[in-house]
Amino acid sequence: MAANSQGNTPRLLSGKVKQQLPDGSFDFVSLSDTEKYLGVPAANGYVLTSLVDGTRSWAPPDTGATGATGPIGATGSTGPTGATGSTGATGSTGATGETGATGSTGPVGATGTTGPIGPTGATGPVIPYIFDGGDPTSTYFVGPAFDCGGVT
């Protein structure tokens, strides 16, 4: 084998290079037996396409027509309850309702202490009475008091 000045791939004098085949074996191919290097695709998922004239290239995958929608599956189980949100603003106060009926009177409380004695009032007019003598059944009449001048 002769050394190649164009890289690390050794070439035979015939110009052929050693190529590993998919089954793991090796074969010697010449440049006329190979195709142009296609490089790498522009994005993951591209596919290698080919035309009937033998032209090959990288292309995004074709998507076929959308099929009919399948049946709806069963509803899954309910997930856990989330965290409680913050409390909202307090609303305005509503109108005052009707006044209810008066309740029954409660029990009478204890009697309080007696207050202080007030001042003595003015003396009323003196009215003389006639006394008929000291009998337990004595009667009194309004009239002049004892007549000290003579009894008649």
Side-chain angles (χ1 to χ4, degrees):
M1 240 197 263
N4 182 351
S5 62
Q6 296 179 355
N8 291 333
T9 306
R11 286 186 190 212
L12 298 175
L13 290 176
S14 65
K16 291 186 176 186
V17 293
K18 185 177 176 182
Q19 179 71 39
Q20 186 172 4
L21 300 176
D23 67 0
S25 63
F26 292 91
D27 194 5
F28 293 93
V29 294
S30 66
L31 265 172
S32 62
D33 295 331
T34 63
E35 66 182 344
K36 178 182 165 191
Y37 175 66
L38 295 174
V40 294
N44 289 336
Y46 272 48
V47 293
L48 186 60
T49 61
S50 173
L51 301 177
V52 291
D53 69 359
T55 304
R56 293 167 33 129
S57 63
W58 291 109
D62 286 337
T63 55
T66 301
T69 301
I72 295 174
T75 301
S77 60
T78 301
T81 300
T84 300
S86 60
T87 301
T90 300
S92 58
T93 301
T96 301
E98 295 180 25
T99 301
T102 301
S104 59
T105 302
V108 175
T111 301
T113 59
T114 301
I117 296 174
T120 302
T123 302
V126 176
I127 300 174
Y129 288 93
I130 297 173
F131 179 62
D132 71 355
D135 184 335
T137 59
S138 294
T139 56
Y140 300 89
F141 302 95
V142 175
F146 299 105
D147 185 356
C148 295
V151 179
T152 52

PDB file of all heavy atoms in Angstrom, residues 1-2 9-34:
ATOM      1  N   MET A   1       0.837  -1.165   0.000  1.00  0.00           N
ATOM      2  CA  MET A   1       0.000   0.000   0.000  1.00  0.00           C
ATOM      3  C   MET A   1       0.893   1.242   0.000  1.00  0.00           C
ATOM      4  O   MET A   1       1.885   1.282   0.688  1.00  0.00           O
ATOM      5  CB  MET A   1      -0.839   0.024   1.264  1.00  0.00           C
ATOM      6  CG  MET A   1      -2.306   0.000   0.983  1.00  0.00           C
ATOM      7  SD  MET A   1      -3.266   0.505   2.374  1.00  0.00           S
ATOM      8  CE  MET A   1      -3.722  -0.986   3.107  1.00  0.00           C
ATOM      9  N   ALA A   2       0.419   2.238  -0.675  1.00  0.00           N
ATOM     10  CA  ALA A   2       1.179   3.482  -0.738  1.00  0.00           C
ATOM     11  C   ALA A   2       0.528   4.503   0.186  1.00  0.00           C
ATOM     12  O   ALA A   2      -0.686   4.517   0.334  1.00  0.00           O
ATOM     13  CB  ALA A   2       1.203   4.011  -2.169  1.00  0.00           C
ATOM     14  N   THR A   9      -6.485   8.331   5.257  1.00  0.00           N
ATOM     15  CA  THR A   9      -7.049   7.141   4.642  1.00  0.00           C
ATOM     16  C   THR A   9      -6.044   6.580   3.628  1.00  0.00           C
ATOM     17  O   THR A   9      -5.718   7.251   2.648  1.00  0.00           O
ATOM     18  CB  THR A   9      -8.361   7.489   3.913  1.00  0.00           C
ATOM     19  OG1 THR A   9      -9.224   8.144   4.830  1.00  0.00           O
ATOM     20  CG2 THR A   9      -9.024   6.256   3.364  1.00  0.00           C
ATOM     21  N   PRO A  10      -5.557   5.369   3.867  1.00  0.00           N
ATOM     22  CA  PRO A  10      -4.581   4.798   2.921  1.00  0.00           C
ATOM     23  C   PRO A  10      -5.268   4.393   1.614  1.00  0.00           C
ATOM     24  O   PRO A  10      -6.421   3.984   1.618  1.00  0.00           O
ATOM     25  CB  PRO A  10      -4.022   3.596   3.663  1.00  0.00           C
ATOM     26  CG  PRO A  10      -5.052   3.251   4.682  1.00  0.00           C
ATOM     27  CD  PRO A  10      -5.793   4.518   5.002  1.00  0.00           C
ATOM     28  N   ARG A  11      -4.553   4.563   0.489  1.00  0.00           N
ATOM     29  CA  ARG A  11      -5.060   4.161  -0.824  1.00  0.00           C
ATOM     30  C   ARG A  11      -4.077   3.176  -1.465  1.00  0.00           C
ATOM     31  O   ARG A  11      -2.881   3.258  -1.262  1.00  0.00           O
ATOM     32  CB  ARG A  11      -5.175   5.361  -1.757  1.00  0.00           C
ATOM     33  CG  ARG A  11      -6.313   6.259  -1.447  1.00  0.00           C
ATOM     34  CD  ARG A  11      -6.371   7.294  -2.530  1.00  0.00           C
ATOM     35  NE  ARG A  11      -7.299   8.319  -2.141  1.00  0.00           N
ATOM     36  CZ  ARG A  11      -8.027   8.993  -2.963  1.00  0.00           C
ATOM     37  NH1 ARG A  11      -7.928   8.776  -4.237  1.00  0.00           N
ATOM     38  NH2 ARG A  11      -8.837   9.901  -2.538  1.00  0.00           N
ATOM     39  N   LEU A  12      -4.701   2.374  -2.258  1.00  0.00           N
ATOM     40  CA  LEU A  12      -3.877   1.470  -3.051  1.00  0.00           C
ATOM     41  C   LEU A  12      -3.381   2.235  -4.273  1.00  0.00           C
ATOM     42  O   LEU A  12      -3.923   3.294  -4.635  1.00  0.00           O
ATOM     43  CB  LEU A  12      -4.686   0.255  -3.479  1.00  0.00           C
ATOM     44  CG  LEU A  12      -5.204  -0.614  -2.322  1.00  0.00           C
ATOM     45  CD1 LEU A  12      -6.091  -1.724  -2.866  1.00  0.00           C
ATOM     46  CD2 LEU A  12      -4.043  -1.212  -1.544  1.00  0.00           C
ATOM     47  N   LEU A  13      -2.402   1.708  -4.941  1.00  0.00           N
ATOM     48  CA  LEU A  13      -1.904   2.333  -6.166  1.00  0.00           C
ATOM     49  C   LEU A  13      -2.992   2.408  -7.230  1.00  0.00           C
ATOM     50  O   LEU A  13      -2.997   3.291  -8.075  1.00  0.00           O
ATOM     51  CB  LEU A  13      -0.696   1.567  -6.706  1.00  0.00           C
ATOM     52  CG  LEU A  13       0.566   1.690  -5.851  1.00  0.00           C
ATOM     53  CD1 LEU A  13       1.674   0.806  -6.441  1.00  0.00           C
ATOM     54  CD2 LEU A  13       1.032   3.116  -5.771  1.00  0.00           C
ATOM     55  N   SER A  14      -3.982   1.558  -7.114  1.00  0.00           N
ATOM     56  CA  SER A  14      -5.086   1.557  -8.076  1.00  0.00           C
ATOM     57  C   SER A  14      -6.073   2.689  -7.785  1.00  0.00           C
ATOM     58  O   SER A  14      -6.961   2.960  -8.568  1.00  0.00           O
ATOM     59  CB  SER A  14      -5.832   0.229  -8.020  1.00  0.00           C
ATOM     60  OG  SER A  14      -6.443   0.084  -6.753  1.00  0.00           O
ATOM     61  N   GLY A  15      -5.927   3.377  -6.608  1.00  0.00           N
ATOM     62  CA  GLY A  15      -6.824   4.448  -6.238  1.00  0.00           C
ATOM     63  C   GLY A  15      -8.002   3.967  -5.405  1.00  0.00           C
ATOM     64  O   GLY A  15      -8.835   4.761  -4.973  1.00  0.00           O
ATOM     65  N   LYS A  16      -8.082   2.659  -5.174  1.00  0.00           N
ATOM     66  CA  LYS A  16      -9.198   2.133  -4.385  1.00  0.00           C
ATOM     67  C   LYS A  16      -8.893   2.287  -2.897  1.00  0.00           C
ATOM     68  O   LYS A  16      -7.752   2.324  -2.489  1.00  0.00           O
ATOM     69  CB  LYS A  16      -9.442   0.670  -4.726  1.00  0.00           C
ATOM     70  CG  LYS A  16      -9.978   0.467  -6.114  1.00  0.00           C
ATOM     71  CD  LYS A  16     -10.335  -0.987  -6.356  1.00  0.00           C
ATOM     72  CE  LYS A  16     -10.958  -1.142  -7.726  1.00  0.00           C
ATOM     73  NZ  LYS A  16     -11.428  -2.480  -7.944  1.00  0.00           N
ATOM     74  N   VAL A  17      -9.990   2.389  -2.119  1.00  0.00           N
ATOM     75  CA  VAL A  17      -9.853   2.488  -0.670  1.00  0.00           C
ATOM     76  C   VAL A  17     -10.629   1.358  -0.014  1.00  0.00           C
ATOM     77  O   VAL A  17     -11.566   0.808  -0.595  1.00  0.00           O
ATOM     78  CB  VAL A  17     -10.374   3.842  -0.133  1.00  0.00           C
ATOM     79  CG1 VAL A  17      -9.488   4.981  -0.604  1.00  0.00           C
ATOM     80  CG2 VAL A  17     -11.802   4.073  -0.498  1.00  0.00           C
ATOM     81  N   LYS A  18     -10.236   1.034   1.199  1.00  0.00           N
ATOM     82  CA  LYS A  18     -10.903  -0.029   1.947  1.00  0.00           C
ATOM     83  C   LYS A  18     -12.201   0.544   2.546  1.00  0.00           C
ATOM     84  O   LYS A  18     -12.192   1.594   3.173  1.00  0.00           O
ATOM     85  CB  LYS A  18      -9.966  -0.507   3.056  1.00  0.00           C
ATOM     86  CG  LYS A  18     -10.464  -1.686   3.843  1.00  0.00           C
ATOM     87  CD  LYS A  18      -9.391  -2.087   4.854  1.00  0.00           C
ATOM     88  CE  LYS A  18      -9.850  -3.192   5.744  1.00  0.00           C
ATOM     89  NZ  LYS A  18      -8.833  -3.532   6.746  1.00  0.00           N
ATOM     90  N   GLN A  19     -13.321  -0.121   2.333  1.00  0.00           N
ATOM     91  CA  GLN A  19     -14.636   0.324   2.806  1.00  0.00           C
ATOM     92  C   GLN A  19     -15.290  -0.816   3.561  1.00  0.00           C
ATOM     93  O   GLN A  19     -15.376  -1.937   3.052  1.00  0.00           O
ATOM     94  CB  GLN A  19     -15.499   0.722   1.601  1.00  0.00           C
ATOM     95  CG  GLN A  19     -16.886   1.177   1.957  1.00  0.00           C
ATOM     96  CD  GLN A  19     -16.883   2.540   2.634  1.00  0.00           C
ATOM     97  OE1 GLN A  19     -16.114   3.419   2.263  1.00  0.00           O
ATOM     98  NE2 GLN A  19     -17.708   2.716   3.626  1.00  0.00           N
ATOM     99  N   GLN A  20     -15.789  -0.531   4.805  1.00  0.00           N
ATOM    100  CA  GLN A  20     -16.477  -1.570   5.579  1.00  0.00           C
ATOM    101  C   GLN A  20     -17.919  -1.654   5.111  1.00  0.00           C
ATOM    102  O   GLN A  20     -18.609  -0.658   4.955  1.00  0.00           O
ATOM    103  CB  GLN A  20     -16.440  -1.274   7.085  1.00  0.00           C
ATOM    104  CG  GLN A  20     -17.015  -2.418   7.899  1.00  0.00           C
ATOM    105  CD  GLN A  20     -16.793  -2.222   9.403  1.00  0.00           C
ATOM    106  OE1 GLN A  20     -16.275  -1.213   9.834  1.00  0.00           O
ATOM    107  NE2 GLN A  20     -17.176  -3.219  10.164  1.00  0.00           N
ATOM    108  N   LEU A  21     -18.386  -2.878   4.916  1.00  0.00           N
ATOM    109  CA  LEU A  21     -19.751  -3.127   4.465  1.00  0.00           C
ATOM    110  C   LEU A  21     -20.670  -3.344   5.681  1.00  0.00           C
ATOM    111  O   LEU A  21     -20.199  -3.607   6.778  1.00  0.00           O
ATOM    112  CB  LEU A  21     -19.760  -4.358   3.545  1.00  0.00           C
ATOM    113  CG  LEU A  21     -18.880  -4.235   2.283  1.00  0.00           C
ATOM    114  CD1 LEU A  21     -18.887  -5.545   1.510  1.00  0.00           C
ATOM    115  CD2 LEU A  21     -19.354  -3.098   1.403  1.00  0.00           C
ATOM    116  N   PRO A  22     -21.998  -3.219   5.480  1.00  0.00           N
ATOM    117  CA  PRO A  22     -22.938  -3.376   6.602  1.00  0.00           C
ATOM    118  C   PRO A  22     -22.808  -4.696   7.343  1.00  0.00           C
ATOM    119  O   PRO A  22     -23.064  -4.767   8.536  1.00  0.00           O
ATOM    120  CB  PRO A  22     -24.309  -3.257   5.951  1.00  0.00           C
ATOM    121  CG  PRO A  22     -24.081  -2.465   4.707  1.00  0.00           C
ATOM    122  CD  PRO A  22     -22.689  -2.840   4.256  1.00  0.00           C
ATOM    123  N   ASP A  23     -22.391  -5.766   6.672  1.00  0.00           N
ATOM    124  CA  ASP A  23     -22.270  -7.057   7.356  1.00  0.00           C
ATOM    125  C   ASP A  23     -20.973  -7.187   8.136  1.00  0.00           C
ATOM    126  O   ASP A  23     -20.695  -8.208   8.748  1.00  0.00           O
ATOM    127  CB  ASP A  23     -22.418  -8.204   6.345  1.00  0.00           C
ATOM    128  CG  ASP A  23     -21.271  -8.269   5.342  1.00  0.00           C
ATOM    129  OD1 ASP A  23     -20.352  -7.421   5.417  1.00  0.00           O
ATOM    130  OD2 ASP A  23     -21.302  -9.159   4.481  1.00  0.00           O
ATOM    131  N   GLY A  24     -20.129  -6.104   8.120  1.00  0.00           N
ATOM    132  CA  GLY A  24     -18.886  -6.120   8.877  1.00  0.00           C
ATOM    133  C   GLY A  24     -17.674  -6.490   8.039  1.00  0.00           C
ATOM    134  O   GLY A  24     -16.547  -6.290   8.464  1.00  0.00           O
ATOM    135  N   SER A  25     -17.892  -6.995   6.854  1.00  0.00           N
ATOM    136  CA  SER A  25     -16.754  -7.356   5.996  1.00  0.00           C
ATOM    137  C   SER A  25     -16.239  -6.093   5.298  1.00  0.00           C
ATOM    138  O   SER A  25     -16.831  -5.021   5.419  1.00  0.00           O
ATOM    139  CB  SER A  25     -17.185  -8.402   4.974  1.00  0.00           C
ATOM    140  OG  SER A  25     -18.169  -7.859   4.120  1.00  0.00           O
ATOM    141  N   PHE A  26     -15.148  -6.212   4.560  1.00  0.00           N
ATOM    142  CA  PHE A  26     -14.537  -5.080   3.876  1.00  0.00           C
ATOM    143  C   PHE A  26     -14.474  -5.353   2.392  1.00  0.00           C
ATOM    144  O   PHE A  26     -14.423  -6.486   1.928  1.00  0.00           O
ATOM    145  CB  PHE A  26     -13.125  -4.821   4.424  1.00  0.00           C
ATOM    146  CG  PHE A  26     -13.120  -4.333   5.851  1.00  0.00           C
ATOM    147  CD1 PHE A  26     -13.044  -5.214   6.907  1.00  0.00           C
ATOM    148  CD2 PHE A  26     -13.198  -2.969   6.115  1.00  0.00           C
ATOM    149  CE1 PHE A  26     -13.048  -4.760   8.212  1.00  0.00           C
ATOM    150  CE2 PHE A  26     -13.200  -2.514   7.419  1.00  0.00           C
ATOM    151  CZ  PHE A  26     -13.114  -3.400   8.476  1.00  0.00           C
ATOM    152  N   ASP A  27     -14.500  -4.232   1.647  1.00  0.00           N
ATOM    153  CA  ASP A  27     -14.345  -4.313   0.192  1.00  0.00           C
ATOM    154  C   ASP A  27     -13.506  -3.122  -0.206  1.00  0.00           C
ATOM    155  O   ASP A  27     -13.404  -2.135   0.517  1.00  0.00           O
ATOM    156  CB  ASP A  27     -15.715  -4.260  -0.483  1.00  0.00           C
ATOM    157  CG  ASP A  27     -15.671  -4.672  -1.945  1.00  0.00           C
ATOM    158  OD1 ASP A  27     -14.592  -5.082  -2.411  1.00  0.00           O
ATOM    159  OD2 ASP A  27     -16.712  -4.558  -2.603  1.00  0.00           O
ATOM    160  N   PHE A  28     -12.916  -3.186  -1.366  1.00  0.00           N
ATOM    161  CA  PHE A  28     -12.123  -2.089  -1.889  1.00  0.00           C
ATOM    162  C   PHE A  28     -12.906  -1.443  -3.011  1.00  0.00           C
ATOM    163  O   PHE A  28     -13.345  -2.115  -3.943  1.00  0.00           O
ATOM    164  CB  PHE A  28     -10.748  -2.596  -2.370  1.00  0.00           C
ATOM    165  CG  PHE A  28      -9.903  -3.078  -1.224  1.00  0.00           C
ATOM    166  CD1 PHE A  28      -9.908  -4.413  -0.841  1.00  0.00           C
ATOM    167  CD2 PHE A  28      -9.110  -2.185  -0.516  1.00  0.00           C
ATOM    168  CE1 PHE A  28      -9.142  -4.845   0.223  1.00  0.00           C
ATOM    169  CE2 PHE A  28      -8.350  -2.622   0.541  1.00  0.00           C
ATOM    170  CZ  PHE A  28      -8.359  -3.946   0.912  1.00  0.00           C
ATOM    171  N   VAL A  29     -13.126  -0.103  -2.869  1.00  0.00           N
ATOM    172  CA  VAL A  29     -13.910   0.613  -3.879  1.00  0.00           C
ATOM    173  C   VAL A  29     -13.089   1.768  -4.422  1.00  0.00           C
ATOM    174  O   VAL A  29     -12.212   2.306  -3.757  1.00  0.00           O
ATOM    175  CB  VAL A  29     -15.234   1.152  -3.279  1.00  0.00           C
ATOM    176  CG1 VAL A  29     -16.147   0.035  -2.870  1.00  0.00           C
ATOM    177  CG2 VAL A  29     -14.981   2.086  -2.134  1.00  0.00           C
ATOM    178  N   SER A  30     -13.420   2.168  -5.644  1.00  0.00           N
ATOM    179  CA  SER A  30     -12.769   3.338  -6.233  1.00  0.00           C
ATOM    180  C   SER A  30     -13.755   4.498  -6.191  1.00  0.00           C
ATOM    181  O   SER A  30     -14.951   4.311  -5.958  1.00  0.00           O
ATOM    182  CB  SER A  30     -12.326   3.036  -7.670  1.00  0.00           C
ATOM    183  OG  SER A  30     -13.469   2.842  -8.480  1.00  0.00           O
ATOM    184  N   LEU A  31     -13.264   5.717  -6.442  1.00  0.00           N
ATOM    185  CA  LEU A  31     -14.119   6.890  -6.404  1.00  0.00           C
ATOM    186  C   LEU A  31     -15.260   6.777  -7.405  1.00  0.00           C
ATOM    187  O   LEU A  31     -16.360   7.252  -7.151  1.00  0.00           O
ATOM    188  CB  LEU A  31     -13.303   8.147  -6.702  1.00  0.00           C
ATOM    189  CG  LEU A  31     -12.803   8.869  -5.469  1.00  0.00           C
ATOM    190  CD1 LEU A  31     -11.842   9.970  -5.839  1.00  0.00           C
ATOM    191  CD2 LEU A  31     -13.938   9.406  -4.657  1.00  0.00           C
ATOM    192  N   SER A  32     -15.078   6.157  -8.471  1.00  0.00           N
ATOM    193  CA  SER A  32     -16.139   6.013  -9.471  1.00  0.00           C
ATOM    194  C   SER A  32     -17.257   5.102  -8.972  1.00  0.00           C
ATOM    195  O   SER A  32     -18.367   5.142  -9.482  1.00  0.00           O
ATOM    196  CB  SER A  32     -15.563   5.485 -10.780  1.00  0.00           C
ATOM    197  OG  SER A  32     -14.999   4.196 -10.582  1.00  0.00           O
ATOM    198  N   ASP A  33     -16.981   4.283  -7.945  1.00  0.00           N
ATOM    199  CA  ASP A  33     -17.992   3.391  -7.376  1.00  0.00           C
ATOM    200  C   ASP A  33     -18.800   4.073  -6.245  1.00  0.00           C
ATOM    201  O   ASP A  33     -19.675   3.451  -5.674  1.00  0.00           O
ATOM    202  CB  ASP A  33     -17.325   2.142  -6.787  1.00  0.00           C
ATOM    203  CG  ASP A  33     -16.655   1.289  -7.844  1.00  0.00           C
ATOM    204  OD1 ASP A  33     -17.134   1.321  -8.988  1.00  0.00           O
ATOM    205  OD2 ASP A  33     -15.674   0.612  -7.499  1.00  0.00           O
ATOM    206  N   THR A  34     -18.481   5.302  -5.898  1.00  0.00           N
ATOM    207  CA  THR A  34     -19.145   5.967  -4.774  1.00  0.00           C
ATOM    208  C   THR A  34     -19.973   7.154  -5.256  1.00  0.00           C
ATOM    209  O   THR A  34     -19.851   7.586  -6.395  1.00  0.00           O
ATOM    210  CB  THR A  34     -18.106   6.471  -3.759  1.00  0.00           C
ATOM    211  OG1 THR A  34     -17.282   7.450  -4.383  1.00  0.00           O
ATOM    212  CG2 THR A  34     -17.273   5.329  -3.209  1.00  0.00           C
TER     213      THR A  34
END
